[in-house]
Amino acid sequence: VPGHFEDVRDGMRFASSVYPVLDEHGKAVRFAVFATDITARKQLQGIDRLLNECDQRVLRGEPAQELLRFICDEVVRLFELHLAWVGRKEADGQVSIAACGGNCVYAESLRSAGVRWDDTEVLGPIGAVLRSGQAQVFRVTDSAFRSWRDSAEQHGVRSVIVIPLITRGEIYGTFTLY
């Protein structure tokens, strides 16, 4: 009897089918395994569910901070990330943490280090994206990570994608994925 299952290997999700290979007496002598990478399909299904749930939460009038926290948690789970957080661009040049999901201990270490968007001397990943308005990918070894490298490596962070969040034509902050 063939068997069917899903499994995860190296961050990829597979749908696998196992079929017995029978000898001339009908005895199983080996198995044939057919696996299909379904990672993208599962992620797209997860994104659809996430967007639908966001719509429902907005319609129920859920506060923005709770909605953002839910999104961060779900994106971390869905894409098996280390951390996701929403940073709010403050008028005083700082970036505050509006919501966080995953390893929020690292996000808190960023808060204590003082993430800023207005400091041209030490323009880290968040500041670079807030000033340019363009999504960017950074590796911990990049010069933009210089001030945060030790903390990032201590928390197992290797790279980050920073996406600007724009509302009504103005940059509100960033959505940062580790």
Side-chain angles (χ1 to χ4, degrees):
V1 176
H4 307 283
F5 61 93
E6 288 185 16
D7 67 316
V8 177
R9 288 175 261 152
D10 296 327
M12 297 174 65
R13 184 169 296 280
F14 292 91
S16 300
S17 299
V18 179
Y19 298 92
V21 176
L22 308 176
D23 66 9
E24 63 275 359
H25 304 292
K27 180 180 175 186
V29 291
R30 60 179 82 96
F31 294 93
V33 179
F34 299 95
T36 302
D37 180 358
I38 59 170
T39 307
R41 184 179 80 207
K42 287 293 190 177
Q43 287 174 339
L44 287 173
Q45 289 170 346
I47 291 168
D48 283 344
R49 283 191 303 276
L50 172 63
L51 292 174
N52 183 46
E53 181 62 24
C54 287
D55 287 344
Q56 296 304 311
R57 288 170 180 249
V58 167
L59 290 172
R60 288 192 305 263
E62 184 169 301
Q65 187 170 359
E66 289 179 31
L67 178 62
L68 291 174
R69 188 176 315 117
F70 166 76
I71 291 169
C72 288
D73 286 338
E74 288 300 304
V75 167
V76 165
R77 184 190 60 73
L78 182 61
F79 293 100
E80 298 178 17
L81 300 174
H82 191 68
L83 165 68
W85 64 283
V86 174
R88 185 173 42 238
K89 178 183 173 184
E90 302 293 350
D92 67 359
Q94 293 200 23
V95 178
S96 63
I97 298 173
C100 181
N103 181 3
C104 293
V105 172
Y106 177 63
E108 288 301 321
S109 76
L110 292 174
R111 180 193 317 245
S112 64
V115 177
R116 302 188 64 83
W117 62 269
D118 65 345
D119 187 349
T120 56
E121 296 282 324
V122 184
L123 193 59
I126 307 299
V129 168
L130 286 172
R131 290 173 67 96
S132 73
Q134 300 294 314
Q136 296 182 44
V137 175
F138 300 89
R139 288 188 169 67
V140 171
T141 56
D142 293 345
S143 62
F145 242 102
R146 182 177 52 252
S147 298
W148 299 274
R149 185 170 297 127
D150 290 342
S151 181
E153 289 174 345
Q154 190 175 47
H155 288 277
V157 173
R158 293 188 311 251
S159 60
V160 60
I161 182 168
V162 186
I163 305 163
L165 298 176
I166 301 169
T167 57
R168 297 181 186 101
E170 297 290 322
I171 296 177
Y172 166 85
T174 60
F175 188 40
T176 307
L177 311 171
Y178 295 82

